Amino acid sequence: MDGLVILIPLMPFIAAALIGLGHLLGIINGEAGESTTADIATWAISMSSLLALTLLGADLLDKNTGSYSIGRWLDSDTLHVQINFLTTGFSIRLAALFSVLLVIIIRFSINYMHREGGFHRYFFILSLFASAMLLLVLSGNAVGTFIGWEMAGFCSYLLIAYAYDRPVAATNATRVFVTNRIGDAGFILGIGLSYAWGDNVSWSDLNAMAGQLSRGEATGIALCFAIAAFAKSAQFPFTPWLARAMEGPTPSSAVFYGAVMVHAGVYLLILLEPVFEHAPAAKGLVAIVGAITALYAVIVGLTQTDAKSSMIFAASGQLGLMFLECGLGYWQLAGWHLCAHAVVRGYQFLTAPSLMHNVQGNPIKPVSPAIARLRWAYVASLQRFWLDQINDWALVRPIHRLAHDLGHFDDHIVDGIMGAPAPAIRAISSLAQLEEKNIGARLDNEFDSFAQGSGLAGKLTEWTAAILHWFEDRFVLRGIGKGTISYGRKLGHAANQFEQLILRPRYLVLFVFITLLVAF
């Protein structure tokens, strides 16, 4: 029975491939092809759901071994990454729940997205997302989980920007995508520390040896994965991205931010329960962040004026409580809370379009007068406590200014001190000169003036260039044909482009961060 686990994420992936290829080749197109696309997506996720439920039944009957391995994917020195899956415990229960919710949402989407311009694109992305989430919860190692983690985030970006012709949708999708990359950095660092200190990246092995890790090592690994969970589940200070994600279609909001993807961070914490139990500091941070997020979401949610924003802040509050439960050690309660919230919130998002009909005659209960009189709290809640602006001021603008300053320093100081040979900027290369000779072009410059430089380094470069030119002219260029000359010119042009690329300020900043990361 354990072998069935391979097909659970594979079926929706095959559906995404069929829809994508069919649309690309023009086989599935327009309103006439909607039924074909819908049938492929529905049947694939339905089969995954049946397989997941079957595997869950086998697990409840103690028929599963706990894991299933296809083979080894990567071997590098002592690093061995298996292609393996979990077939028991909380992972298979969550896979069964998510697959059922995905079936319901895909069925709902068929009528909701009917005659939309991006109908086929929507179901392609949704099928790919289904595969990613099922891989995320079923993978038996950190690398496989991270692949699903990234695929789900990319699909989220594509569906937030579903109406890509609208500037707000495109901007919000980009902001969400960039914010989640912070969590991805924490995830990658957590994988690296798990290998460095635990010598493996398997979840079961890492949890089994958690007691052998020192307090500092366990805390370091737990904090890295906690940062990944904070970003993915929109915990403070990453909470604002969840409201920005409401630009996508309502069914995608239901599956991404109500029922499925937004719970990935909580799942990651529950998966690493033994590691967090040996890292009290990390558990304390998780509890504090969860409590702050819950309080923040409740206050901001009081002033929201549309259904989706109100529900998304309600979801943030519940996610904050789940993190608080994990931080306090109530892991089983957090698991049950996750499952119940996924069902309820998914249902609420799907019924959001009919909210006005459902609440007729049932007015919303007003807040207490004591809270209503707090005008400063009302203003702060409307502005969502300026959290987006604070993040821009603290993170985005400093990095942008740093990039600008580095570019100015590079252009006006480094180049001035080092100097630059004229051939790199304005003169003709030696290969081009020979080509001009061969076609009868008249060169006005003599050999001695082929390069000019400024500064000490520039003069040294000039002399070196002159010697190399003499060598090329006497021993290399005169004995080769035009084909080699053309190839060399293309190679030199590509090298110049590569040099210009890696010297851009943003890549210098990236190099500095990577250096600091390695040093840490």
Side-chain angles (χ1 to χ4, degrees):
M1 297 299 293
D2 294 271
L4 295 177
V5 72
I6 304 172
L7 299 174
I8 296 175
L10 183 61
M11 295 296 290
F13 183 82
I14 294 174
L18 292 175
I19 294 171
L21 288 174
H23 189 61
L24 183 65
L25 299 176
I27 301 173
I28 304 174
N29 202 6
E31 185 178 346
E34 286 187 2
S35 59
T36 303
T37 295
D39 288 342
I40 293 173
T42 303
W43 277 102
I45 192 60
S46 298
M47 290 301 298
S48 289
S49 180
L50 289 174
L51 291 170
L53 291 172
T54 302
L55 204 58
L56 174 61
D59 179 46
L60 295 176
L61 297 173
D62 294 326
K63 300 296 184 181
N64 297 343
T65 60
S67 65
Y68 185 80
S69 178
I70 301 176
R72 186 165 290 177
W73 174 58
L74 178 64
D75 257 330
S76 178
D77 194 22
T78 59
L79 175 62
H80 309 294
V81 180
Q82 301 281 343
I83 304 177
N84 60 334
F85 299 90
L86 301 173
T87 60
T88 189
F90 186 65
S91 296
I92 192 61
R93 293 182 178 89
L94 203 59
L97 174 63
F98 282 173
S99 62
V100 172
L101 293 175
L102 284 164
V103 171
I104 295 171
I105 293 170
I106 284 182
R107 288 291 303 167
F108 179 89
S109 300
I110 295 173
N111 291 331
Y112 189 91
M113 301 300 295
H114 178 52
R115 290 183 176 176
E116 287 286 343
F119 183 93
H120 306 286
R121 171 164 51 94
Y122 172 85
F123 279 93
F124 164 75
I125 299 171
L126 198 58
S127 298
L128 187 62
F129 167 76
S131 175
M133 279 305 303
L134 293 172
L135 175 63
L136 190 156
V137 298
L138 290 174
S139 178
N141 62 78
V143 176
T145 299
F146 182 70
I147 293 172
W149 189 278
E150 284 297 288
M151 287 172 58
F154 180 64
C155 293
S156 170
Y157 166 77
L158 293 177
L159 282 180
I160 296 171
Y162 177 80
Y164 54 85
D165 55 328
R166 296 174 52 206
V168 174
T171 301
N172 284 357
T174 304
R175 287 291 295 259
V176 172
F177 186 79
V178 172
T179 302
N180 276 276
R181 300 293 71 77
I182 300 174
D184 296 344
F187 202 118
I188 293 173
L189 186 56
I191 295 175
L193 294 180
S194 300
Y195 172 65
W197 293 334
D199 205 28
N200 66 79
V201 293
S202 170
W203 293 129
S204 57
D205 292 342
L206 182 61
N207 287 327
M209 66 174 302
Q212 302 174 16
L213 298 173
S214 67
R215 182 64 57 85
E217 291 172 346
T219 301
I221 294 173
L223 284 176
C224 290
F225 286 117
I227 292 172
F230 293 158
K232 202 69 166 183
S233 292
Q235 296 300 288
F236 190 88
F238 307 109
T239 311
W241 77 256
L242 203 54
R244 289 181 176 273
M246 293 299 99
E247 287 294 328
T250 295
S252 69
S253 298
V255 70
F256 279 90
Y257 316 113
V260 182
M261 193 191 76
V262 78
H263 297 99
V266 183
Y267 166 74
L268 184 62
L269 297 184
I270 296 174
L271 185 64
L272 291 170
E273 174 188 346
V275 176
F276 278 91
E277 287 294 341
H278 286 81
K283 280 184 64 179
L285 178 65
V286 169
I288 292 171
V289 170
I292 293 174
T293 304
L295 181 62
Y296 171 84
V298 168
I299 296 174
V300 174
L302 292 174
T303 56
Q304 300 308 304
T305 56
D306 63 278
K308 288 176 70 173
S309 294
S310 297
M311 284 189 289
I312 209 60
F313 279 102
S316 295
Q318 293 298 321
L319 290 166
L321 292 178
M322 294 178 209
F323 275 78
L324 178 60
E325 292 159 1
C326 291
L328 296 176
Y330 298 111
W331 301 100
Q332 190 172 6
L333 175 61
W336 282 106
H337 193 171
L338 187 161
C339 296
H341 181 257
V343 174
V344 173
R345 198 66 64 192
Y347 168 77
Q348 287 183 336
F349 268 100
L350 292 180
T351 57
S354 57
L355 178 68
M356 298 303 294
H357 173 75
N358 294 333
V359 300
Q360 186 176 3
N362 183 25
I364 299 175
K365 182 180 179 180
V367 299
S368 65
I371 298 178
R373 285 194 294 268
L374 299 176
R375 295 185 178 180
W376 64 268
Y378 177 74
V379 173
S381 178
L382 279 178
Q383 297 297 326
R384 299 175 182 175
F385 286 85
W386 299 276
L387 198 54
D388 256 342
Q389 292 84 344
I390 292 172
N391 288 335
D392 285 345
W393 173 79
L395 296 174
V396 178
R397 290 181 183 177
I399 294 177
H400 178 74
R401 290 171 182 169
L402 175 62
H404 179 270
D405 293 342
L406 287 174
H408 185 275
F409 180 80
D410 183 57
D411 294 339
H412 296 84
I413 298 177
V414 176
D415 287 349
I417 294 174
M418 297 298 296
I425 302 172
R426 61 183 180 274
I428 303 174
S429 68
S430 57
L431 289 174
Q433 289 178 5
L434 182 62
E435 184 72 8
E436 288 178 343
K437 287 182 180 180
N438 291 333
I439 64 175
R442 183 184 181 92
L443 296 178
D444 297 328
N445 294 333
E446 297 295 332
F447 168 77
D448 292 336
S449 61
F450 108 96
Q452 296 176 350
S454 59
L456 177 60
K459 289 298 181 182
L460 291 174
T461 307
E462 176 185 335
W463 299 333
T464 303
I467 295 171
L468 291 176
H469 173 74
W470 178 85
F471 178 82
E472 289 177 345
D473 186 67
R474 295 295 187 275
F475 299 97
V476 180
L477 299 180
R478 294 184 180 182
I480 58 178
K482 293 182 179 180
T484 307
I485 294 172
S486 176
Y487 174 77
R489 184 166 59 247
K490 292 179 181 179
L491 185 63
H493 180 66
N496 288 336
Q497 287 185 325
F498 178 74
E499 181 182 12
Q500 292 173 4
L501 180 66
I502 63 175
L503 289 178
R504 289 179 181 175
R506 57 178 175 271
Y507 295 108
L508 294 176
V509 175
L510 179 62
F511 176 75
V512 172
F513 279 115
I514 292 174
T515 303
L516 294 175
L517 185 62
V518 172
F520 173 76

